Amino acid sequence: MEKMLLITLEIIICAVHPVPRSFPRHEQEIAETSNSTEPIPYPYSHIDIDVALGLPMFARLYLLYGPILYHSHLVRSAASQSLGYLSAVSIDFPFVMKAYLRHWPERCLLVWCTLIFFIGGWCFRACEYQPTHEHWPLVDAMWLFVPIFGTVGYSNLVPSTYCGRTICALSGVLGVFSMSFFIAIAAGKLILTPCENYVHTFVLNTELAKEHKHQAANVIKFAWKTWFWKANKTPLSSMRYLQMERKLHRSIGIIHEIKRKQRCLNGSTIGLPEIQIIERSTNMNTEETIRKMATLESKMDEIEGQLVNLDYGLNGTQNVLYFSL
């Protein structure tokens, strides 16, 4: 039943097409008033029948589903199909698109924006009319689409029909989605790689270690001066004693702050991927150790068997020598 519904829907979508006949071109309509020669504009709700039947034709883009799916190496590979079946993962169109978005996000975004640009430009051209009752030029329609898709707003051109305004609303929504996708890709490219993160963390740790040594030396220096003045019975309310005590406490506070930063840096270098790599390496080493121990046990059993045979042989030789003598 589901397949029949899908086949019926496909037939309906493919059947949508403008009526195969020519429509008379609209001539300029002169206003009935004697002192006006301006053409009467179309109402907001006006849309030609060829436009009404032409816009739904873009639903045929679903036909790209088949070539994209069946030309993917993920679908044609028996290994991926077997692994997906064992893992209860369907190797279908959403899975393939997610894989493409993961591996080639820039290409996917470029193809998406290019496709939407030409479709949106054509839709604006089809929905909007000039005062001469002709469709907008394609260049003007594309120019209107660019600021709307970029979520900037209207330019010097404004849609004057409900059809054009609907296309504007859809273009704005798709523009927000595309811009968020672009920001996500750009943010991912700006993140440091693991190697770069290690180098950056090492440099920061080195600088913090130098600062820690410097502040530790200051603590020793200020503590010794404070003790010296206190031993010489310097008044505790004197300005010099209070300054040294204040510097001592400030150096101690800086040392605590440096230790906190070092802990944060050490924690940031070890993430989930690093933990997974360490776990995988540990498991491999454990399996290798178990394999070697099993081999060693088998060799020890073999040596033990040979020793038993040697013992039997020596006992037999001893008996032969005993009876021969």
Side-chain angles (χ1 to χ4, degrees), residues 200-265:
H200 179 255
T201 305
F202 177 78
V203 173
L204 292 180
N205 272 325
T206 303
E207 294 178 355
L208 290 175
K210 292 180 180 179
E211 183 66 20
H212 185 273
K213 292 179 181 179
H214 178 68
Q215 295 300 329
N218 287 338
V219 168
I220 296 174
K221 180 177 68 174
F222 296 144
W224 182 84
K225 288 185 177 181
T226 303
W227 173 84
F228 178 77
W229 286 337
K230 191 174 183 180
N232 290 336
K233 298 181 180 180
T234 303
L236 300 181
S237 60
S238 64
M239 185 60 64
R240 296 176 62 185
Y241 181 82
L242 293 176
Q243 287 180 352
M244 284 299 132
E245 193 174 26
R246 191 180 302 111
K247 291 180 180 179
L248 175 62
H249 290 300
R250 184 170 63 248
S251 298
I252 294 173
I254 293 174
I255 288 176
H256 288 306
E257 182 68 18
I258 290 173
K259 289 182 178 180
R260 185 188 65 81
K261 291 181 179 179
Q262 287 178 337
R263 286 195 298 268
C264 293
L265 284 176

Side-chain angles (χ1 to χ4, degrees), residues 15-280:
V16 175
H17 192 278
V19 179
R21 67 183 182 88
S22 60
F23 291 90
R25 298 182 61 183
H26 294 278
E27 302 293 339
Q28 293 186 356
E29 299 180 4
I30 308 300
E32 295 181 357
T33 56
S34 59
N35 58 352
S36 176
T37 59
E38 294 292 331
I40 299 176
Y42 284 128
Y44 290 149
S45 59
H46 176 79
I47 181 171
D48 288 336
I49 187 171
D50 57 340
V51 176
L53 294 176
L55 293 179
M57 289 179 62
F58 288 109
R60 299 183 184 182
L61 290 174
Y62 86 97
L63 294 173
L64 296 175
Y65 161 86
I68 293 176
L69 182 62
Y70 296 111
H71 284 79
S72 173
H73 67 282
L74 297 173
V75 177
R76 291 185 285 107
S77 175
S80 61
Q81 291 286 351
S82 302
L83 184 60
Y85 178 77
L86 294 175
S87 304
V89 175
S90 300
I91 310 297
D92 50 6
F93 184 73
F95 179 84
V96 172
M97 291 306 300
K98 290 177 183 178
Y100 285 164
L101 288 173
R102 181 180 179 86
H103 291 287
W104 304 293
E106 301 90 351
R107 298 181 186 178
C108 294
L109 180 61
L110 179 61
V111 172
W112 165 259
C113 292
T114 304
L115 185 64
I116 295 299
F117 173 72
F118 285 106
I119 292 176
W122 189 91
C123 292
F124 275 127
R125 177 191 175 277
C127 291
E128 295 300 323
Y129 302 91
Q130 293 179 335
T132 57
H133 294 173
E134 295 288 341
H135 288 289
W136 274 9
L138 186 60
V139 176
D140 291 344
M142 290 182 175
W143 170 245
L144 174 62
F145 176 81
V146 170
I148 295 174
F149 186 75
T151 65
V152 176
Y154 289 140
S155 59
N156 56 335
L157 300 174
V158 179
S160 58
T161 61
Y162 290 142
C163 176
R165 294 177 181 181
T166 303
I167 300 300
C168 279
L170 295 177
S171 300
V173 173
L174 294 176
V176 171
F177 169 76
S178 302
M179 290 300 295
S180 61
F181 188 29
F182 171 76
I183 292 172
I185 294 175
K189 294 298 181 181
L190 294 176
I191 296 176
L192 294 176
T193 62
C195 296
E196 293 173 344
N197 189 24
Y198 288 142
V199 173
H200 179 255
T201 305
F202 177 78
V203 173
L204 292 180
N205 272 325
T206 303
E207 294 178 355
L208 290 175
K210 292 180 180 179
E211 183 66 20
H212 185 273
K213 292 179 181 179
H214 178 68
Q215 295 300 329
N218 287 338
V219 168
I220 296 174
K221 180 177 68 174
F222 296 144
W224 182 84
K225 288 185 177 181
T226 303
W227 173 84
F228 178 77
W229 286 337
K230 191 174 183 180
N232 290 336
K233 298 181 180 180
T234 303
L236 300 181
S237 60
S238 64
M239 185 60 64
R240 296 176 62 185
Y241 181 82
L242 293 176
Q243 287 180 352
M244 284 299 132
E245 193 174 26
R246 191 180 302 111
K247 291 180 180 179
L248 175 62
H249 290 300
R250 184 170 63 248
S251 298
I252 294 173
I254 293 174
I255 288 176
H256 288 306
E257 182 68 18
I258 290 173
K259 289 182 178 180
R260 185 188 65 81
K261 291 181 179 179
Q262 287 178 337
R263 286 195 298 268
C264 293
L265 284 176
N266 294 331
S268 63
T269 55
I270 302 177
L272 184 59
E274 287 77 13
I275 294 176
Q276 292 177 349
I277 292 173
I278 294 172
E279 182 182 3
R280 191 181 302 113

